[in-house]
Amino acid sequence: MRGLNGKIIVVTGAAQGIGRATALRLHEEGAKVVVADRNKAGADSVVSEIAGQGGEAFAVDLDVGSRQSWESAVGAIVATYGHIDGLVNNAGITRDSSLLKMTDEDWELVIDVNLRGAWLGCQVAVPHLKEKGGAIVNLSSESRWGAFGQSNYSAAKSGLVGLTRTLALELARYGIRANAVAPGTTMTPMIEAVPENVRKDWLPGIPLRREADPSEIASSIVFLLSDDASYITGQVLGVNGGSAL
Ligand code: NAI
């Protein structure tokens, strides 16, 4: 893909799953990847993997729900590279339960990590994002349409659509684009935690009749960061095997 060689791209939640796959794909495209995660050991191991393939990556300890953590992470990145070219707000968690059983803590934590975390990241990183060419990708979900047992998560993931569209409007004047990727079920540790018999029940609702591999989500994220997507902003790209048709 065009325009990623040498670019500085920050990926949150990159210690595993979709974030890790995105970091690896960005490395293949020649980018310098900042692997940002609250799981520093996991982030270090992704950095070693990239370094082992001759690439350049940098691990930062980041709790996306904390402004202080964002400020110190972005400070370290800017001290190393001087600027940021791209930001992928990928870190996410679930705490599922039906409406009447959901606790305040489960509501607040999921909104805090998935939605406020992305907003905070944009607020702290955008002043350092390169004008004319900077790009943001937020990870929404098919659950943005509503999902049983996920009032917190689906509110966060549809909130990210509003955030993305607003970013696109406000940042266009600086030549910065903002888009969202909305994956369907993707085989990562988040989904591997769901019992297999429950996952089997989801398959008939997916026209391609299989879950996504994380690399298939990563390629869409990387496309939206690249110059091949230079006229795309404010969009939500569903990568879901046709499940929302
Ligand atoms: P995962 O659970 O495999 O990995 C999430 C990563 O985020 C982990 O490395 C974790 O340490 C990190 N993380 C969690 N809280 C954090 C925090 N406060 N600060 C920094 N890092 C934190 O998740 P997966 O499946 O790779 O998901 C990535 C994104 O894609 C999430 O936003 C998720 O909601 C979204 N998504 C995933 C789908 C799936 O089927 N796997 C479907 C739709 C959306």
Side-chain angles (χ1 to χ4, degrees):
M1 288 177 214
R2 289 186 303 130
L4 288 166
N5 197 30
K7 292 280 169 71
I8 315 300
I9 314 283
V10 181
V11 185
T12 71
Q16 65 182 40
I18 293 169
R20 172 180 168 275
T22 302
L24 294 175
R25 180 62 196 269
L26 282 166
H27 150 62
E28 280 174 29
E29 299 291 337
K32 296 175 184 170
V33 192
V34 179
V35 180
D37 208 292
R38 66 176 176 187
N39 171 5
K40 180 65 166 39
D44 284 337
S45 127
V46 173
V47 166
S48 305
E49 206 175 337
I50 291 173
Q53 296 170 16
E56 184 174 335
F58 172 49
V60 285
D61 201 356
L62 172 70
D63 174 358
V64 296
S66 153
R67 178 178 292 280
Q68 198 189 356
S69 182
W70 266 112
E71 282 171 352
S72 106
V74 168
I77 296 161
V78 171
T80 306
Y81 294 118
H83 73 279
I84 296 169
D85 294 292
L87 171 64
V88 182
N89 286 306
N90 165 78
I93 56 164
T94 53
R95 291 289 182 281
D96 295 356
S97 58
S98 58
L99 176 70
L100 298 184
K101 292 184 185 148
M102 189 170 288
T103 63
D104 287 8
E105 289 73 25
D106 285 345
W107 171 266
E108 278 158 19
L109 189 61
V110 167
I111 298 291
D112 210 48
V113 172
N114 293 277
L115 181 56
R116 184 167 163 277
W119 172 79
L120 265 178
C122 293
Q123 214 183 39
V124 177
V126 159
H128 305 283
L129 261 190
K130 201 129 200 194
E131 295 195 8
K132 297 198 177 74
I136 296 169
V137 176
N138 295 322
L139 267 288
S140 180
S141 166
E142 283 312 314
S143 298
R144 75 190 186 281
W145 302 115
F148 197 95
Q150 292 195 317
S151 55
N152 50 4
Y153 185 77
S154 67
K157 293 302 188 184
S158 60
L160 280 167
V161 174
L163 172 65
T164 303
R165 293 170 65 99
T166 302
L167 292 170
L169 289 169
E170 292 188 5
L171 302 180
R173 74 189 69 172
Y174 308 114
I176 295 172
R177 298 177 298 103
N179 291 289
V181 166
T185 308
T186 307
M187 285 312 291
T188 67
M190 180 185 270
I191 290 298
E192 281 155 12
V194 178
E196 204 179 332
N197 60 321
V198 175
R199 280 194 264 125
K200 264 198 189 131
D201 286 347
W202 296 344
L203 291 181
I206 306 172
L208 287 181
R209 291 289 187 276
R210 64 173 179 84
E211 296 98 349
D213 182 81
S215 63
E216 295 175 298
I217 311 301
S219 53
S220 296
I221 296 170
V222 173
F223 162 67
L224 289 171
L225 291 168
S226 80
D227 288 350
D228 286 332
S230 54
Y231 202 56
I232 303 177
T233 194
Q235 304 303 305
V236 181
L237 178 57
V239 187
N240 52 37
S243 61
L245 296 174

